[in-house]
Amino acid sequence: MSLQNASINVTHFIIGGFDTLSRPIAVGVVILIVYLLAVLANMINIMFIISDKRLHKPMYLLICNLAVVDIMYTSSCSPTMIGVLLAGVNTISYVECLIQMCVGALGTSMESFVLAVMALDRFIAIIYPFQYQSYLTNTRVLVLTFIVWFVAWCFVFYMPATVVLLPHCSSRLRYTFCDFAAVLRTTCVNPEKYFNEVAIVSFFIFFFTFIFICLSYCGILLFVKLSSNNEKKKMGSTLVSHLICVFVHYCPAFVRNIFTRFGVVLTLEERQGLLIGAVLGPCLVNPFVYFLRTKEIKQKFYKIFKKPSVVSDHVFLETSNEFLLHFKNDQNE
């Protein structure tokens, strides 16, 4: 009864995570540039893969799915942070906040699941190269992608279902955008019980996918030892891209969720920095890694800029020939 009396009707949340920031404009400009680059790079990868039928293969479908996840993940919170820092709009409606919380949680869950599926793809491609096309068809990859999205959404649904039922005693968020921890701390209840429940779900998603990726690479390493040096180089070049993406995604999460459990103390600003880095980092790095490391995508990009160059060279040669012809005729006359 006391909780109901103390609770307030929240229609908007106030985002207070940037209140102590000394240079909000500079930080806002950096986040804006990173966000635009991340969205543009991922959109280019998606368009290249969709427009070229030669890239309609399992690996490229997974890269395309990762790009969709990256755009969704970074778009869940970046516009809000940019609005707070550059436009001074530090409020967000209750419904928008819940949507942002769900999309952000879905993004981080899907990032883990997609990287695990991509590890499976590389495992099958290297261990069973001749059976690869029969084991992983486009249809099976699409079905697997749908299942992963469905499972991730089932895990995420717990968060809004929990928050909606709780009374709120404050409308001020301590963090830079609406995530589960920030919204839960505005309620009138002790959040530890709910944090522990979410920690179990997060532990399952985070460690299940990470252990799966590690086991996949253990199998690949055992196979690589028996291969020739040329085959080792080819395998290494195909795995580097995925390993970079895995490192960028899991490293901030390890620091934020694991190291703090073993005595590492982080300030609120450090936690928020890791949280922002965990969102923006993978979404910016992933498309550039797969663009620079994937020969087919890189060649398609170069062809777009090579064609105008070839045409201009052809026009230049024709113009030069015409000029020389006129010059010779003038001399003969």
Side-chain angles (χ1 to χ4, degrees), residues 115-132:
L115 289 174
V117 174
M118 293 177 85
L120 174 65
D121 171 76
R122 292 299 84 201
F123 176 83
I124 296 175
I126 291 174
I127 305 299
Y128 306 104
F130 299 108
Q131 295 88 356
Y132 174 73

Side-chain angles (χ1 to χ4, degrees), residues 179-217:
D179 72 338
F180 182 72
V183 177
L184 192 61
R185 290 186 187 279
T186 65
T187 63
C188 305
V189 300
N190 184 356
E192 289 302 319
K193 170 192 170 184
Y194 302 98
F195 283 157
N196 292 334
E197 291 175 355
V198 170
I200 294 172
V201 175
S202 301
F203 179 87
F204 175 79
I205 296 173
F206 184 77
F207 280 98
F208 170 78
T209 55
F210 184 74
I211 291 171
F212 182 85
I213 292 170
C214 290
L215 291 175
S216 299
Y217 275 95

Side-chain angles (χ1 to χ4, degrees), residues 148-184:
V148 166
W149 276 94
F150 179 76
V151 171
W153 174 247
C154 289
F155 281 122
V156 169
F157 183 74
Y158 167 82
M159 296 181 181
T162 301
V163 171
V164 167
L165 300 175
L166 298 177
H168 293 269
C169 287
S170 173
S171 61
R172 188 175 188 81
L173 301 175
R174 295 176 58 192
Y175 299 133
T176 54
F177 55 87
C178 296
D179 72 338
F180 182 72
V183 177
L184 192 61

Side-chain angles (χ1 to χ4, degrees), residues 9-14 91-96 170-172:
N9 182 27
V10 175
T11 58
H12 288 77
F13 286 105
I14 300 170
T91 59
I92 184 171
S93 71
Y94 183 82
V95 175
E96 289 176 347
S170 173
S171 61
R172 188 175 188 81

Side-chain angles (χ1 to χ4, degrees), residues 53-67:
K53 290 184 178 180
R54 292 172 300 175
L55 301 182
H56 293 180
K57 300 175 183 178
M59 185 183 77
Y60 298 104
L61 294 179
L62 294 174
I63 293 174
C64 189
N65 186 38
L66 181 64

